[in-house]
Amino acid sequence: MYLNRYEEKIYNGEYGEILSKAIKIIVKIGESVGAKRLIKISHAHISGVGYNNIGEAGLSLLRDLASSGHRFSVFTTANPGSVDLDSHRYFPYSEDFLRKQLEILDHYKALGVETFTCAPYHIREPRYREHLSWAESNAVIIANSVYGARTNKESGLTALFSALIGRTYYGGLHLKRERYPRIEIFIKNINRDYVSIGLLGLYIGKISEDKIPVVKGLEKIEREKLKTFLAAFGTTSSQGMIYIPGVSREDYKESDYKRYIEDKIEIDSREIKIFYEEQENLCEDPEAFLIGCPHVSPDLILEIKSMLDKIGGEAKKPVWLIIPPDYEKDPFIKNLLDKLREKGIIVLKGICPVISPLNEIGYKCIGTISSKAFFYMPRLAKVKISLMDLPTIISKAF
Ligand code: F3S
């Protein structure tokens, strides 16, 4: 692989062993996909922040990195961990767990992480064609499929190494020729509520396997539902993007990608119903409700606020609304959130309940609008799930 003089110096250890190892790993991965050179990135997004996820090995790596004096060389954000940033003890995890989780956050902050959220695009919108190194599947799919930015679906570690050296390999989805769809999917008669749209995303992710799909029939989808759909797709697909005509910012036309299409599939509501019925770990009587996987947008906060304006009373069960940590710097959003708090909604900042050991503190059944949480919570938080639309959550919780 071609390296410029600066990159060569990093490679040869002139800036220390850590950066040398970081660039060698990025080069090696790049060479395995045929990349001929590296490319500068403007934003890295790291996953692997929960203690439950990275354990002692990850914590010890972060300790070494933070004490080495090296810092991230580009704007860097990271996924959330398992604790609310304002009130660490909201979930009564053990003191040992809490201490280790907070230590992980401290090391990331020392290295230069700006904020902890799985919706980095709500904090800094990616620009068209800019190169990123993002882990976190929903963020990758949204960056590529909505903003037309370019990032592969990185692992937490490769995004971290790229954050250190400010570069990634110029291959995969960074190249136009790798962004053409290979499978054509036609959507017929699918409801546009959060549950149906999320299940559709999970289903398309599953059947497209490693191919980029072009999805037709979603042209007029609202922004918030689009986010739900893409996050769900990223959960079951190994791909980093979907092409949605009229939505995605790609500079190609149907005539450019037509010859690459290997398969055409039509999906209607019957397939989605069967797919849902095949799922395990369903439950019916949630003890708490989760909204914000991925972290909510200001639009969704507004939607919830207008629904609650029409009903009286306070929440009788916990409703967790998960936000990126910095939202309340905006007085308009803070005001909205305060109104929701008055209704009993529990606003949690910079946290991922999905990777957190909720079963260890007594939860068994969680209601959510998120198909991503629906997929992962039984596996990671070891709880059962009830997938429900927003009006159902409001009616059951209030
Ligand atoms: Fe975010 Fe955790 Fe869901 S990182 S996307 S809340 S699984």
Side-chain angles (χ1 to χ4, degrees), residues 200-213:
L200 178 70
L202 289 178
Y203 185 65
I204 292 181
K206 186 176 157 221
I207 61 169
S208 342
E209 298 172 345
D210 60 347
K211 300 184 188 87
I212 296 175

Side-chain angles (χ1 to χ4, degrees), residues 9 34 47 102 117 130 135 158 161 185 204 266:
K9 282 183 178 179
S47 63
L102 291 172
T117 179
E130 90 174 325
T158 54
F161 295 142
I185 295 180
I204 292 181
E266 205 173 278

Side-chain angles (χ1 to χ4, degrees), residues 267-321:
I267 299 175
D268 68 21
S269 52
R270 279 168 306 173
E271 271 123 317
I272 300 305
K273 188 164 176 282
I274 294 168
F275 174 66
Y276 179 68
E277 286 166 357
E278 283 169 4
Q279 304 304 312
E280 293 168 358
N281 295 309
L282 304 176
C283 60
E284 285 187 356
D285 190 16
E287 296 125 9
F289 301 90
L290 165 66
I291 305 170
C293 168
H295 289 176
V296 291
S297 67
D299 285 353
L300 188 60
I301 297 173
L302 208 53
E303 189 177 337
I304 296 167
K305 156 88 171 42
S306 38
M307 289 175 85
L308 291 182
D309 282 346
K310 295 182 194 126
I311 61 166
E314 281 189 23
K316 296 184 197 72
K317 289 183 175 181
V319 180
W320 302 321
L321 183 77

Side-chain angles (χ1 to χ4, degrees), residues 167-217:
R167 281 153 175 76
T168 188
Y169 52 93
Y170 190 42
L173 293 176
H174 292 277
L175 302 172
K176 180 178 172 182
R177 66 166 186 269
E178 298 291 332
R179 298 172 70 89
Y180 289 127
R182 299 281 196 276
I183 176 166
E184 196 162 25
I185 295 180
F186 301 89
I187 308 297
K188 305 267 182 207
N189 307 322
I190 303 280
N191 288 339
R192 295 302 175 100
D193 56 86
Y194 286 106
V195 170
S196 307
I197 282 294
L199 286 169
L200 178 70
L202 289 178
Y203 185 65
I204 292 181
K206 186 176 157 221
I207 61 169
S208 342
E209 298 172 345
D210 60 347
K211 300 184 188 87
I212 296 175
V214 46
V215 178
K216 297 188 171 171

Side-chain angles (χ1 to χ4, degrees), residues 136-138 141 153 201-202 205 228-240 242 372 376:
E136 174 45 47
S137 59
N138 96 84
I141 306 285
K153 196 172 185 176
L202 289 178
T228 298
F229 171 72
L230 295 173
F233 171 82
T235 302
T236 46
S237 166
S238 59
Q239 251 309 334
I242 298 186
K372 180 166 180 176
Y376 279 126

Side-chain angles (χ1 to χ4, degrees), residues 79-80 118 136 138 292-295 322 351-355 372-373 376:
N79 261 7
C118 46
E136 174 45 47
N138 96 84
C293 168
H295 289 176
I322 321 290
I351 178 172
C352 172
V354 177
I355 53 158
K372 180 166 180 176
Y376 279 126

